[in-house]
Amino acid sequence: MAKSSQRLFDNVEGNYFVDQTCIDCSTCNWVAPESFQGASDHSFVYRQPLTPDAAIQAQKALISCPVGAIGTEQKVKIEPRIRFPDLVDGTEEIGVFHCGFHSESSFGATSYFIRRAAGNVLIDSPRFASTLVKQIEKMGGIDIMFLTHRDDIADHQKYAKHFGCERFIHRDDAVSTARHVEHQIEGPDAVEIDDGLTVLPVPGHTKGSACLLFDNTYLFTGDHLAWNIEAQNLRAFRTACWYDWSVQTTSMSTLLDYAFEWVLPGHGRRINLPNEKMRASLENCITWMK
Ligand code: SF4
């Protein structure tokens, strides 16, 4: 729980604040852009939520913060309509959802949930929070868990045990607690793991990084690719490339073989663009990387 006594000095006056435990994961910046923004090594409240929509955003950020660094001076009653997994696109019955409840062990990475008739899918792992677990149970549980790379696996073991799901990761990132993951993708080739679910190996950020393409529309990218608000384009993370930048650049080019309208990253902002604009932005990113 955030402490008022540790309130950062650059928060504006008012109910919401960020305290000194912030790890600068940037989650609140994109979940609630009307109230939160980043500074050099932390985030803060630059404007108190003034509208009902901004208040909803701020409450979602509070729930998502991996370290509980967002607090309120006066107790806030969480709006009943806020519920994670939170619909991003599609319908409540068949759609893509943001799990919220980011985990500190993955530096606040975003986890997504796909609800579909053929069996639900969890992409990377959120915190094993009972509120979230109960809601996922109500939505039909998890059949498949896809782990984009070694850094964003958080509580994958707890989710796998609770829901009895089959996990997938690339063999080159099947390390640490992921070394016993049931299905380990090998080599550089795309692999269809289920109807409409294709794993695209994209080594670079880590050796075993991989994206998941769903329905030729949604690309879950882990830490390979995200929307950059300053560049107004897709970008890779140059300063967070742990394996090989030139390999990552080559991997980025392989994505030109696929059409998709959404990029949903582990870190950073997601984006929805028509196919042609997404492709143009991907080409812009590849040029920038070179
Ligand atoms: S979500 Fe929490 S830890 Fe992450 S930047 Fe915001 S306040 Fe800091």
Side-chain angles (χ1 to χ4, degrees), residues 91-105:
T91 67
E92 289 289 339
E93 284 68 41
I94 298 176
V96 171
F97 298 74
H98 168 212
C99 289
F101 295 92
H102 295 219
S103 170
E104 184 177 8
S105 68

Side-chain angles (χ1 to χ4, degrees), residues 13-30:
E13 255 184 60
N15 199 22
Y16 279 86
F17 65 89
V18 175
D19 82 2
Q20 292 167 3
T21 59
C22 171
I23 59 170
D24 196 27
C25 72
S26 298
T27 298
C28 55
N29 299 191
W30 65 263

Side-chain angles (χ1 to χ4, degrees), residues 237-266:
F237 299 102
R238 182 69 184 95
T239 55
C241 176
W242 313 136
Y243 177 58
D244 190 303
W245 185 250
S246 66
V247 171
Q248 189 167 352
T249 306
T250 303
S251 295
M252 202 65 80
S253 301
T254 66
L255 295 181
L256 290 170
D257 294 340
Y258 302 90
F260 46 89
E261 295 173 5
W262 283 85
V263 164
L264 301 115

Side-chain angles (χ1 to χ4, degrees), residues 102-264:
H102 295 219
S103 170
E104 184 177 8
S105 68
S106 60
F107 191 58
T110 307
S111 172
Y112 286 99
F113 179 78
I114 305 172
R115 192 178 196 189
R116 59 182 200 137
N120 299 338
V121 185
L122 185 69
I123 295 102
D124 289 329
S125 172
R127 244 181 296 149
F128 194 77
S130 60
T131 314
L132 177 62
V133 171
K134 281 185 192 138
Q135 189 55 31
I136 291 176
E137 283 170 359
K138 284 187 197 158
M139 294 170 80
I142 302 166
D143 297 276
I144 290 172
M145 187 191 305
F146 174 70
L147 301 168
T148 57
H149 67 298
R150 65 180 72 187
D151 301 334
D152 294 355
I153 58 180
D155 288 334
H156 73 104
Q157 291 167 300
K158 290 181 183 170
Y159 278 98
K161 189 169 174 206
H162 187 85
F163 288 102
C165 55
E166 300 274 307
R167 290 166 293 177
F168 292 78
I169 193 169
H170 195 283
R171 173 152 292 177
D172 288 331
D173 268 23
V175 295
S176 177
T177 65
R179 66 189 181 285
H180 299 307
V181 163
E182 294 78 19
H183 303 279
Q184 299 186 10
I185 310 287
E186 290 186 64
D189 297 331
V191 179
E192 187 173 31
I193 59 171
D194 202 10
D195 273 357
L197 289 175
T198 305
V199 175
L200 310 175
V202 286
H205 170 69
T206 61
K207 193 175 180 188
S209 283
C211 297
L212 183 70
L213 181 62
F214 168 52
D215 247 1
N216 291 318
T217 303
Y218 307 94
L219 188 70
F220 300 92
T221 54
D223 292 353
H224 179 64
L225 179 67
W227 183 253
N228 183 293
I229 201 156
E230 284 82 29
Q232 285 295 298
N233 263 302
L234 293 167
R235 286 290 180 264
F237 299 102
R238 182 69 184 95
T239 55
C241 176
W242 313 136
Y243 177 58
D244 190 303
W245 185 250
S246 66
V247 171
Q248 189 167 352
T249 306
T250 303
S251 295
M252 202 65 80
S253 301
T254 66
L255 295 181
L256 290 170
D257 294 340
Y258 302 90
F260 46 89
E261 295 173 5
W262 283 85
V263 164
L264 301 115

Side-chain angles (χ1 to χ4, degrees), residues 31-92:
V31 172
E34 291 192 34
S35 300
F36 295 84
Q37 68 183 34
S40 57
D41 62 356
H42 64 275
S43 289
F44 63 99
V45 177
Y46 73 94
R47 181 170 57 204
Q48 293 293 335
L50 300 172
T51 63
D53 273 357
I56 295 273
Q57 284 183 9
Q59 292 187 12
K60 286 181 179 178
L62 189 150
I63 295 167
S64 297
C65 177
V67 291
I70 299 172
T72 54
E73 301 290 354
Q74 263 79 51
K75 198 169 164 48
V76 167
K77 192 169 182 307
I78 298 293
E79 290 271 343
R81 69 184 134 144
I82 297 179
R83 195 178 55 195
F84 287 104
D86 182 38
L87 186 65
V88 173
D89 194 46
T91 67
E92 289 289 339

